[in-house]
Amino acid sequence: MAAPGPAVPRGFLPGGGSGGAPDPLPEPKPLLELIRLKRDGGRLGEADVRAFVGAVADGSAQGAQIGAMLMAIRLRGMDMEETAALTRALAESGQQLEWPEAWQGQLVDKHSTGGVGDKVSLVLAPALAACGCKVPMISGRGLGHTGGTLDKLESIPGFTVIQSPEQMRKLLEQVGCCIVGQSEKLVPADGILYAARDVTATVDSLPLITASILSKKAVEGLSALVVDVKFGEAAVLPSQAQARELAAALVGVGAGLGLRVAAALTAMDTPVGRSVGHALEVEEALLCLDGAGPPDLRDLVTRLGGALLWLNRQAEAQAEGAARVAAALDDGSARGRFERMLAAQGVDPGLARALCSGSPARRRELLPRAREREELRAPADGTVEHIRALPLALVLRELGAGRSRAGEPIRPGVGAELLVGVGQRLRCGAPWLRVHRDGPALSGPQRRVLQGALVLSDRAPFAAPSLFAELVLPPAHGPTDTQK
Ligand code: URA
């Protein structure tokens, strides 16, 4: 039983198991009473959680009530049982996906808590399909200052993220992967809460993140899931300790729901790769699918994929799984799956082919482009110690690459290219950032914030460290094995 008591910002309340048998369902309380109960630090039973989610899904909850409940959860926390109940209720707000018997053991997925420049899903879903997996990925839009996989894919003309369960099955049969969004049929209540969290400062709540991610995965009928839990200045959860707490909840609540989940803790201080912004990130994902592109992106893709293949017992060790994913990038089979996925999800097949087989310059012509480019120059000689993703993302959001209101349109061509990498030497006056913008020139304050993202030191040049820090596994899966 969770004690009413002082607010526990963001986190989980002590007490409660990791899923267990649902409470017997007494009469649901009125929504106002549920909000008051959570506001005052009480515990929501299974019936209460279902009543709240039901009211969200059927439209009877007012926006203000949804926001109030989210804030009460954000401030008061939820124990593991409440979180599991919320996960189940969100999952059951839509349809459960069903697959042929023959796919058992092949269904896997990856999800991220959100980062800057994080285009891993665009590469990993087709790479896993090329390794013989079925990947029914239900993904999200940008949340807070972080980018969303669906928004990135929608920068490709014609790409359609809304797919029915029947269409998803066809996609998995024909391609082996799909990347889709919530819809009226798929976890609709999470779609509503996700958008509401984005505009009510309730993104960084551990139970809300856990339930949001796992509800989408629970309906996918997976045999294994890896979650990329980011920590660092530009992550939703800055501290590694908090990220570890979230990782433990994802693994534990997942186990309670019958889902084998591993959580990778990865650093999110510097953007992943060299580009931030929707169309620019698609270009970079295509480079990675060519077997090239920035080493940190490829490292993250192969390590997450390797961990997942190992967790799903399709590889003897993580390193073997990572090598299989790397081979799918190098031999073009992952890119072939990506091309087929684009065409099967609404992109003109000629465009999908041209994007996948074209040169980087041709790809840029085919994707939306911002009207202007503007470069920033290094203010001094130095070694790039750090490129801070958060100020970069905040300015890009102001320029239209992100949303400040739910449902707002975004500018797909707006973004930035990092012209240097961490560890590289930079000369005073050399360009280090190219901003792609649609609007007027950067303001003085915007330039100052962006220049503050470049951190130089007197150190000798060095090799940038891997972003991958640790892997949290379900207890039955043996010791952590990040090096093998
Ligand atoms: N991804 C989700 O689907 N939900 C979150 O809350 C965070 C990342």
Side-chain angles (χ1 to χ4, degrees), residues 91-241:
E92 287 165 18
S93 69
Q95 210 170 315
Q96 172 73 39
L97 297 169
E98 281 170 18
W99 312 116
E101 272 294 306
W103 295 0
Q104 279 226 346
Q106 294 173 43
L107 287 146
V108 299
D109 197 2
K110 169 263 170 191
H111 201 87
S112 160
T113 55
V116 177
D118 182 4
K119 64 281 292 173
V120 166
S121 291
L122 273 60
V123 182
L124 190 51
L128 289 166
C131 292
C133 300
K134 301 283 185 196
V135 190
M137 187 178 281
I138 303 177
S139 205
R141 297 197 175 275
L143 203 53
H145 64 272
T146 66
T149 297
L150 300 179
D151 298 321
K152 291 170 204 192
L153 284 165
E154 280 182 345
S155 72
I156 305 173
F159 192 90
T160 310
V161 300
I162 298 303
Q163 302 285 336
S164 68
E166 297 72 31
Q167 286 166 319
M168 286 179 75
R169 182 174 165 143
K170 239 189 231 155
L171 284 159
L172 292 200
E173 269 163 14
Q174 293 170 358
V175 184
C177 62
C178 59
I179 304 182
V180 309
Q182 293 107 351
S183 62
E184 277 166 29
K185 292 196 171 153
L186 289 175
V187 265
D190 177 61
I192 297 166
L193 295 188
Y194 195 88
R197 283 168 57 208
D198 201 15
V199 292
T200 54
T202 53
V203 167
D204 62 348
S205 152
L206 298 186
L208 292 177
I209 298 173
T210 304
S212 168
I213 293 179
L214 291 182
S215 61
K216 288 190 276 287
K217 304 302 147 180
V219 304
E220 291 178 6
L222 300 177
S223 77
L225 166 71
V226 67
V227 185
D228 181 355
V229 179
K230 300 208 172 285
F231 65 91
E233 188 190 31
V236 175
L237 301 173
S239 96
Q240 191 164 353

Side-chain angles (χ1 to χ4, degrees), residues 4 36 92 162 210 246 256 264 303 309 315 324 329 348 431-432 442:
R36 192 180 295 128
E92 287 165 18
I162 298 303
T210 304
L246 175 62
R303 284 191 189 235
L309 291 178
R324 284 182 53 199
L329 299 178
D348 175 82
W432 73 272
L442 294 168

Side-chain angles (χ1 to χ4, degrees), residues 21 30 47 80-81 94 112 125 175 211 220 226 267 283 302 343 345 382 387 422 432:
M80 291 289 212
E81 272 178 19
S112 160
V175 184
E220 291 178 6
V226 67
E283 277 180 35
T302 52
Q345 288 195 236
I387 297 175
V422 169
W432 73 272

